[in-house]
């Protein structure tokens, strides 16, 4: 490759793997490096990562991408970071060493504490300020748990010796040689500590959760001058120009810059977001009001519905039930299912997300017969993602002034499955657009980083580059759709009442 050619390096730090993705000036992928890391489940409902392993996997994946593209580090115009949200790290300010494993967004260990706070009447104030629900999903109770359960941590935090960050902030700290402790507004908006209306860490919330303000990072725009990498890391001092949570990054990567545009990402979980512009829409259906992205110190808001288990259901089929050896085999197996069996999987392995928000609910299978086998259960697992998406969009439309969502853009690993996306279109009864570039999460961070340094054009011009790979149109009759949706609602109702 020509030495004069420049690239943007996107660090996509996800729940199960870290990836480095190089994009060229035309938003095309030049190379990808990927490294999986260990998932720890020390107790029922607990999920942890080793921050050091995340760090090493990030370095390895980035170096792999650079090596594959056969470029020199000085050909990287900028770095953007997108990350699994809500996953919480607390580390020593002097040594840079985490004092405990990262507590993952899926972790439910603080369910009781959240319930106590709800019973004391605090949720309405929390929701009004943050747009979020009082749930162990978010960072605040995770931080408090670490401070209360790691020896001397509370005292060290009060003495200003400890700092907190979501994964973007932790990686920025390490990449900058321990010089920069910052985050962006999207990640800050997922902590239960950030007032999304006033754009600041909230003193009342800090007091409620007993978290010292000195622990918190500086909050910046999603595209900003975050600093530079230490020269020893990649062999060149490179600007870091964007930080953004993964679902927000996918919204940007899908070019959903106008109010009313919606996307749904199918990774470990599923997350549907609709851009609501300057209006922070308050949900009446247990959706989240969040900052979609922030540019020029102006937040753009979104309504979000979160599903905890999407691709994780396919991992369950592969790793626990041993039905398949690779994720892409799930579609082939589902095609073999008996069409006359109505099997429903409610995949509440770590609780149910929106619009139910029951952290203590656990999964269930319904409609089993003597003839039910691997194919039928696999089909039910894939369909469960579509049913849950339907629940989200119905809730979003109710909150979004009863406006109808006419089309949805999809991305993430499961979006590659034609069978699943056709079922999604059938159950939603609306077109589903799949872009040519499914790496929209990595692309969003790359675009913002490139825009910040003048490598990429304005959002309006970027939106013109969005191209559809395939549009899925509903082929299911209304009678069949309503029958299937009624069966799903009954399964969810039974699951909620039995837990």
């Amino acid at each position: 490759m020509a030495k004069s050619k420049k690239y943007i390096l996107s660090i996509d730090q996800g729940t199960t793997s870290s990836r480095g993705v190089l994009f060229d000036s035309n938003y095309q992928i030049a190379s990808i490096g990927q490294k999986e890391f260990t998932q720890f489940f020390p107790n029922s409902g607990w999920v942890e990562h080793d921050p050091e392993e995340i760090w090493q996997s990030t370095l390895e994946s980035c170096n792999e991408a650079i090596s594959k593209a056969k470029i020199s580090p000085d050909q990287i115009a900028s770095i953007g970071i997108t990350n699994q949200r809500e996953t919480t790290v607390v580390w020593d300010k002097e040594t840079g060493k985490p004092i405990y494993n990262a507590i993952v967004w899926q972790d439910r260990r603080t369910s009781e504490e959240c319930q106590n706070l709800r019973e004391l009447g605090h949720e309405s104030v929390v929701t009004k300020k943050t747009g979020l629900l009082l749930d162990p999903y978010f960072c605040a109770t995770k931080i408090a748990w670490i401070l209360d359960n790691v020896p001397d941590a509370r005292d060290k935090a009060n003495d200003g010796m400890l700092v907190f960050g979501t994964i973007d902030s932790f990686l920025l700290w390490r990449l900058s040689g321990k010089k920069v402790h910052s985050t962006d507004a999207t990640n800050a908006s997922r902590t239960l500590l950030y007032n999304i209306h006033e754009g600041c860490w909230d003193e009342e919330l800090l007091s409620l959760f007993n978290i010292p303000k000195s622990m918190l990072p500086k909050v910046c725009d999603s595209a900003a001058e975050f600093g530079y990498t230490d020269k020893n890391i990649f062999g060149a001092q490179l600007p870091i120009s964007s930080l953004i949570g993964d679902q927000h990054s996918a919204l940007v990567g899908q070019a959903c810059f106008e109010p009313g545009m919606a996307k749904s990402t199918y990774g470990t979980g599923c997350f549907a977001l609709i851009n609501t512009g300057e209006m922070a829409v308050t949900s009446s259906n247990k959706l989240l009001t969040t900052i979609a992205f922030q540019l020029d110190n102006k937040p753009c808001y979104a309504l979000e519905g979160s599903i905890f288990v999407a691709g994780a259901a396919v991992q369950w089929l592969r790793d626990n039930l041993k039905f398949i050896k690779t994720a892409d085999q799930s579609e082939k197996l589902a095609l073999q299912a008996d069409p006359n069996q109505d099997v429903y999987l409610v995949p509440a392995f770590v609780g149910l997300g929106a619009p139910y928000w029951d952290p203590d609910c656990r999964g269930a299978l319904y409609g089993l017969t003597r003839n039910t086998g691997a194919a039928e259960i696999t089909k039910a697992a894939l369909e469960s993602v579509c049913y849950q998406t339907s629940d989200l969009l119905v809730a979003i439309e109710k909150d979004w002034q009863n406006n109808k969502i006419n089309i949805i853009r999809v991305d993430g690993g499961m979006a590659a499955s034609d069978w699943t996306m056709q079922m999604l279109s059938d159950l939603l009864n609306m077109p589903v657009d799949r872009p040519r570039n499914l790496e929209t999460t990595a692309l969003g961070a790359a675009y913002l980083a490139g825009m910040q340094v003048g490598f990429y054009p304005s959002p309006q011009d970027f939106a013109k580059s969005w191209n559809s790979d395939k549009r899925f149109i509903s082929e299911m009759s209304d009678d069949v759709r309503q029958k299937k949706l009624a069966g799903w609602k009954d399964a969810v109702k039974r699951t909620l009442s039995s837990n």
Side-chain angles (χ1 to χ4, degrees), residues 184-323:
D184 89 303
T186 68
N187 280 292
S189 74
R190 313 296 295 191
T191 60
L192 284 179
L193 301 171
Y194 189 74
N195 190 315
I196 63 171
H197 309 287
E198 297 180 4
C200 62
W201 298 117
D202 192 279
E203 297 288 353
E204 184 179 3
L205 297 178
L206 290 169
S207 176
L208 175 65
F209 294 104
N210 194 19
I211 296 171
K213 191 174 183 179
S214 60
M215 295 183 68
L216 304 178
K218 176 184 176 183
V219 181
C220 305
D221 285 345
S222 304
E225 295 179 3
F226 286 99
Y228 291 84
T229 62
D230 185 285
K231 188 176 181 179
N232 295 322
I233 293 176
F234 294 121
Q237 196 175 49
L238 306 173
I240 302 169
S241 306
S242 78
L243 302 181
I244 185 168
D246 53 6
Q247 303 311 318
H248 315 260
S249 188
L251 191 76
V252 171
Q254 290 277 36
C256 294
F257 294 116
E258 298 299 322
M261 297 185 75
K263 73 89 197 176
S264 190
T265 297
Y266 298 94
T268 303
C270 165
F271 302 86
L273 274 78
I274 182 170
N275 182 327
T276 63
E278 297 179 357
M279 182 186 303
V281 177
T282 300
S283 175
S284 301
N285 295 280
K286 295 187 177 180
L287 300 179
L288 307 177
T289 307
T290 193
I291 295 177
F293 50 84
Q294 182 169 300
L295 302 174
D296 299 323
N297 207 33
K298 295 179 181 178
C300 175
Y301 295 98
L303 268 176
E304 175 180 328
S306 306
I307 297 169
F308 297 151
V309 174
V314 178
Q315 293 172 337
W316 174 69
L317 296 173
R318 181 192 66 190
D319 301 337
N320 296 73
L321 301 187
K322 311 296 183 183
F323 286 173

Side-chain angles (χ1 to χ4, degrees), residues 13-18 35-42 46-55 57 83-90 98-107 109 142 146 166-167 170 246 268 315:
Q13 204 299 299
T15 306
T16 58
S17 70
S18 300
K35 179 74 173 178
E36 291 191 358
F37 53 87
T38 311
Q39 309 291 306
F40 297 98
F41 307 98
W46 293 27
V47 190
E48 295 179 0
H49 294 156
D50 179 355
E52 297 293 351
E53 191 179 2
I54 286 179
W55 169 241
S57 65
N83 58 289
Q84 53 166 319
R85 304 172 301 170
E86 298 97 14
T87 295
T88 297
V89 186
V90 175
I99 66 168
Y100 188 79
N101 272 348
I103 301 182
V104 181
W105 57 273
Q106 299 162 311
D107 191 280
R109 77 186 64 188
K142 292 179 169 72
I146 292 173
T166 40
I167 296 296
F170 176 68
D246 53 6
T268 303
Q315 293 172 337

